[in-house]
Amino acid sequence: MTRSRAQVAGNGGSTSASSSASSPERAVSDDADFFTAQRNDSQSSIGIDTLKDMTMSPAPIQQHVSSPISRLPPELLIYIFSKITSSADLRSCVLVSKTWSRNSVDLLWHRPLCNEWEKLKKVVAAVGSRDSYFPYNELIKRLNLSNLTEEINDATVQPFVRCSRIERLTLTGCIELTNSGVISLIDGSRGLLALDITGLDSVTDYSLLAVADNCPRLQGLNITDCSKVTDESLVAVAEACRFLKRLKLNNCSLITDKSILAVAYHCPSMLEIDLYNCRQITDESITALISRGRQLRELRVGQCNLITDNAFLEIPTNLTLESLRILDLTACAQLRDDAVEKIIETSPRLRNLVLAKCREITDRSVMAITKLGKNLHYIHLGHCAQITDAAVIQLVKMCNRIRYIDLACCHRLTDLSVKQLATLPKLRRIGLVKCNSITDKSILALAKANLEPRAKSQGPSFLERVHLSYCIHLTLQGIHALLNQCPKLTHLSLTGVQAFFLRDDLIKFCREAPPEFTDHQRNVFCVFSGEGVNRLRHYLNEDLRATYDPEGTMYDDRDGEDGEPDQTVEMAGMMHATGLGVDDEDMEDDVDVGDESQYGGEVDP
C-alpha cells in the first residue's frame, strides 16, 4: 500500500526578519544637499530619493485570500509608492488596505506640507493625538515652517517637541522664535542632520550650545543673519559636531578667527562654508580652511575686507585642491595679482570664480585665470577696471566653456572684447553695465554669432540674460537685432540707454522699478524681463517695422580695422610671461550648467 505524501502544514506563513525590521537610519556620511535654492523644500510631502528614511512595517497576518500585490515585501511596496507624484493618490493608497497603509503612510508624513496656517493646524492635531492609529510624531523627518514666518512663535512649535526623529529642521525667517522655541525643538534630536535658522536675530549662543549638546550627527548649519551668535557657541558646535559639512555664517558680525580655526581643525569633512560679510575674519582663517579642507568644494568670503594676499600665499607649496569648484572673493579689496596666481595654482579645477570689486587686479590675474581652461564656467570681474581687451580676448580663447561672464564697469574694454565674447558657444549670461566704450558693433556681434559657420551647428543663441545698462552709445537697431537672434532671452537691462528709456512706447514693456529707487533712478530705469522681452520683440517686429530697416547694415565689418591697435605684440609678451600656448582646445562640450545659478543677482545698480 503506497503511503500518501504528507501534506505541508500551516499557511506558509512568516516573513523574513529583514522584512519586519525597521530600515536603517541615515548614515552619518550622507551627502545630501541641505541648503537648496528653494526657500521651502516641503512643496511635496512624498518627495524622497532613497528608501533609507522609510520605516519598514511588519508583515500582515496571512489572509485566506490575498492578491499577488499584497504578498510583495514591504521594501518593494515602498519603492512602488515612492514613484507616486500626487499626494491625493498617495492618500488613496493609504485607504486601500492595512498592508498598503502601513507602507505608504511614511511617504505621506515624512515631510508634511506646512505652507499654510490651516494645513499646519491639521498637522499639529495629528501629531498631538494620543489615540491615532499611526505614531505621526515619529514619522516626520523633515519639518519646514519657513512659509509661515511671522505666524510661528515659541508656542506654535511646542506640539512638534514630540517629533524626536526630525532630521532636517528649517525655520528660515521665523522672526518671532526665541531661544526657548528653538531649544525645545532641538532638545533630544540626536538624529538632526540639518538646521536652518536664517534670520532669527533673537537667537543667541544658548541655542547653538543646545545644538552642540544634542546633535552629534549634524552635517549642515545655516545661521545667516543671526547677529548675536559669538565664538563661544560656534567653537562648541565645531568640537561636538565633527561630521559638519556645510556651514553658513553670512552677516554674523561677531564671529572671529577663533570660530573658523575651530571649524578648520575639528571638521575635516567640510564641503561648503559661507563667510559673507564676516568682517573680523583674517588671513589666518582662510589659510587654515584651504590647507586643512581637502574636500572643500565651495568657499565664499565676500566683503571680508581684512583678507590680503597672504591668505593664499601662505598655503603650502605642494598643496592642490582638486575638489574646490566655487570661490567667491567679492570686495576683498586688498587682493592683488600674486594672490590670484596662487589661487589658480592651488585650485586648477575651479568652475566659478568671483573677483568682483577686487580693484587691484590687472591683466596679469586674467592671464592666470586662463589656465583653468575648460573647467571655467562662471567668471565675475565686475569693477576690475584695470582689465583690458588683450586679457579678455585671451580668456575667451582659452576658456571656451564660459556660460556666465560679468565685466561691469570695466571701462577700458571696447568692442574688441565683446566680439570675442560673442564666439563663446555656450554663453548664457553677460554683464556689460557701464562699459561705456562699446557700441552697436558689439551688440550686432552677439546677435550674429550664431550665424557664423563654427556656431551654426550649435543652433540658436543660448543667451538668456544680457545687462547693458548705461552703455550710452547703443541704438534701437542693435538691440532689435539682438532680440531677434536670441530667442531664449528672458532678461534685458537697458537702464540709462537713451534710445529706450526716453521712449514711452518702449518703456511700457518694462517691469516696475523697485520701490526703494529714487526719482532719478526711476526716470532712467529700463529693464525688460520675462514676457516683457517677448512683447518688446513683437512690437519692434510688427508695429515699428515700417519705421526703419531692421536688417540694414549700420557699419562695414571692416570699418575701423586700420585704426584699431594691434594686439599681437602685446599678447605675445603676456603669453611668454605666463607660459601659455595659443592653441585652442577642441570645442566639444558637455551640457553641464549646474553651477551657473549660484550667483543669480542683478548686476544693474
Side-chain angles (χ1 to χ4, degrees), residues 31-36 219-222 244-250 263 267 269-275 289 293 295-300 324 326 598:
D31 193 23
D33 285 336
F34 298 124
F35 308 113
T36 62
Q219 296 181 16
L221 177 63
N222 188 345
L244 203 60
K245 294 182 178 181
R246 293 174 173 85
L247 182 61
K248 295 181 182 290
L249 307 176
N250 303 321
V263 170
C267 305
S269 301
M270 187 62 63
L271 299 176
E272 174 185 350
I273 184 165
D274 288 10
L275 302 173
L289 285 172
Q295 300 181 48
L296 193 64
R297 294 201 300 235
E298 302 179 18
L299 175 61
R300 297 182 176 90
L324 190 61
I326 297 175
Q598 294 291 334

Side-chain angles (χ1 to χ4, degrees), residues 69-85:
I69 195 170
S70 297
R71 296 194 292 270
L72 289 176
E75 293 88 349
L76 287 181
L77 281 175
I78 291 174
Y79 178 77
I80 293 170
F81 293 146
S82 70
K83 300 300 181 181
I84 298 176
T85 58

Side-chain angles (χ1 to χ4, degrees), residues 425-445:
K426 299 294 184 181
L427 187 63
R428 282 163 167 73
R429 305 182 182 185
I430 183 170
L432 298 169
V433 174
K434 294 187 179 179
C435 292
N436 296 326
S437 297
I438 70 171
T439 68
D440 277 350
K441 292 183 180 181
S442 295
I443 307 309
L444 292 174

Side-chain angles (χ1 to χ4, degrees), residues 168-200:
R168 301 186 184 184
L169 179 59
T170 304
L171 304 172
T172 304
C174 299
I175 57 177
E176 299 298 324
L177 278 177
T178 67
N179 284 324
S180 176
V182 174
I183 292 174
S184 66
L185 291 172
I186 293 172
D187 190 27
S189 298
R190 308 292 293 180
L192 190 66
L193 298 177
L195 174 64
D196 189 341
I197 52 175
T198 297
L200 275 63

